[in-house]
């Protein structure tokens, strides 16, 4: 939730700076003529999303279970095959839809794009925030490059959420009207069994092993 809210705040306040003549921006300017509040919100959201990402990295460093999840998110050669097979399936060249393990190639690409994008936006945003120091410490082309990278990465990140991510979690017929995992942490067993059969079988075997271990465990004495 912290990442989602801060990302939305960054998008609104960032594009408000780039498109000052837009009608929705003028509505904001009616309440904040100097844009000082806009700048405060933008920088605060930037700090918050950066801190959240650092916390995520520390969490991965210290929590063994989630490092296992990170290993599942690492790109593999199979992901390239899955992309090719998905294209073939969507174009009708094969009747068999590719299946995935815990994460498919789209989720992996989204995760690593977020991590890479956050680093790019944090570094370039910090240079632009401390522009007086940056201009003294670096040639002007560095600031020009930081401005361009910050702008185009913002467009890319926003479009990836609006077009790709929203489709995956809302409009995809497999999960429509919505994949509730982002709210509840749970997803449909039927959906997992259909799209991630190997992962589903791993979960089923683990649950059965836990159930057997629970039945075999002697009762504890009060």
């Amino acid at each position: 939730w912290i990442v989602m809210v801060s990302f939305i705040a960054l998008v609104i306040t960032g594009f408000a700076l780039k498109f000052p003549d837009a009608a929705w921006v003028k509505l904001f300017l009616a309440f904040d003529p100097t844009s000082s509040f806009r700048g405060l919100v933008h920088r605060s959201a930037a700090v918050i999303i950066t801190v959240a990402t650092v916390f995520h990295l520390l969490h991965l460093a210290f929590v063994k279970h989630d490092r296992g999840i990170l290993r599942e998110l690492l790109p593999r050669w199979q992901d390239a095959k899955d992309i090719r097979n998905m294209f073939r399936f969507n174009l009708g060249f094969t009747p068999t839809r590719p299946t995935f393990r815990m994460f498919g190639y789209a989720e992996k690409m989204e995760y690593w794009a977020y991590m890479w994008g956050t680093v790019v936006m944090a570094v370039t945003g910090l240079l632009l925030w401390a522009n007086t120091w940056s201009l003294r410490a670096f040639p002007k082309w560095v600031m020009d490059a930081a401005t361009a990278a910050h702008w185009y990465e913002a467009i890319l990140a926003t479009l990836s959420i609006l077009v790709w991510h929203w489709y995956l979690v809302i409009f995809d017929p497999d999960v429509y009207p919505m994949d509730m995992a982002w709210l509840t942490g749970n997803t449909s067993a039927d959906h997992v069994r259909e799209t991630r059969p190997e992962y589903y079988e791993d979960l089923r075997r683990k649950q059965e092993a836990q159930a057997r271990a629970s039945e075999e465990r002697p009762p504890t004495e009060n």
Side-chain angles (χ1 to χ4, degrees):
W1 278 100
I2 290 173
V3 170
M4 285 191 293
V5 172
S6 56
F7 179 85
I8 293 171
L10 285 167
V11 169
I12 293 174
T13 55
F15 283 114
L17 177 64
K18 199 67 177 180
F19 302 106
D21 295 328
W24 61 276
V25 177
K26 290 180 179 179
L27 180 63
F28 288 139
L29 291 177
F31 299 96
D32 181 30
T34 63
S35 290
S36 57
F37 182 71
R38 182 212 60 80
L40 176 63
V41 171
H42 192 78
R43 293 179 177 91
S44 299
V47 171
I48 290 170
I49 201 170
T50 303
V51 170
T53 304
V54 171
F55 173 81
H56 171 67
L57 295 174
L58 292 174
H59 186 77
L60 291 176
F62 291 105
V63 179
K64 182 179 180 181
H65 173 266
D66 289 344
R67 285 200 299 275
I69 295 177
L70 180 63
R71 283 192 292 273
E72 290 286 343
L73 281 163
L74 292 175
R76 294 180 172 85
W77 179 243
Q78 182 59 42
D79 296 318
K81 295 180 180 178
D82 289 339
I83 293 174
R84 180 199 63 186
N85 292 335
M86 185 60 79
F87 269 110
R88 296 181 70 237
F89 173 76
N90 288 333
L91 293 173
F93 294 145
T94 176
T96 305
R97 177 174 178 164
T99 58
F100 314 107
R101 286 192 54 79
M102 183 184 294
F103 300 107
Y105 64 87
E107 293 158 322
K108 293 181 180 182
M109 291 171 70
E110 274 207 272
Y111 177 80
W112 292 110
Y114 166 76
M115 298 302 292
W116 163 254
T118 302
V119 172
V120 170
M121 295 300 278
V123 172
T124 56
L126 190 59
L127 288 172
L128 296 173
W129 188 354
N131 61 334
T132 302
W133 175 85
S134 300
L135 287 170
R136 287 200 305 265
F138 303 105
K140 185 178 180 298
W141 68 263
V142 173
M143 291 296 291
D144 293 337
T147 301
H150 203 78
W151 167 235
Y152 289 113
E153 178 62 30
I155 295 175
L156 180 63
T158 303
L159 289 178
S160 70
I161 295 298
L162 294 177
V163 177
W164 192 355
H165 184 73
W166 280 18
Y167 174 80
L168 290 176
V169 300
I170 299 176
F171 302 111
D172 187 342
D174 290 335
V175 300
Y176 188 82
M178 184 181 295
D179 186 345
M180 299 300 292
W182 75 282
L183 283 174
T184 65
N186 300 316
T187 192
S188 165
D190 291 335
H191 177 59
V192 175
R193 182 168 52 241
E194 180 180 350
T195 60
R196 295 165 170 78
E198 294 181 24
Y199 177 53
Y200 178 85
E201 286 302 315
D202 288 344
L203 292 177
R204 187 181 61 80
R205 284 192 293 267
K206 288 178 181 179
Q207 288 183 339
E208 291 177 352
Q210 291 173 353
R212 286 195 300 269
S214 178
E215 292 172 358
E216 297 170 358
R217 187 180 301 118
T220 57
E221 296 181 0
N222 292 329

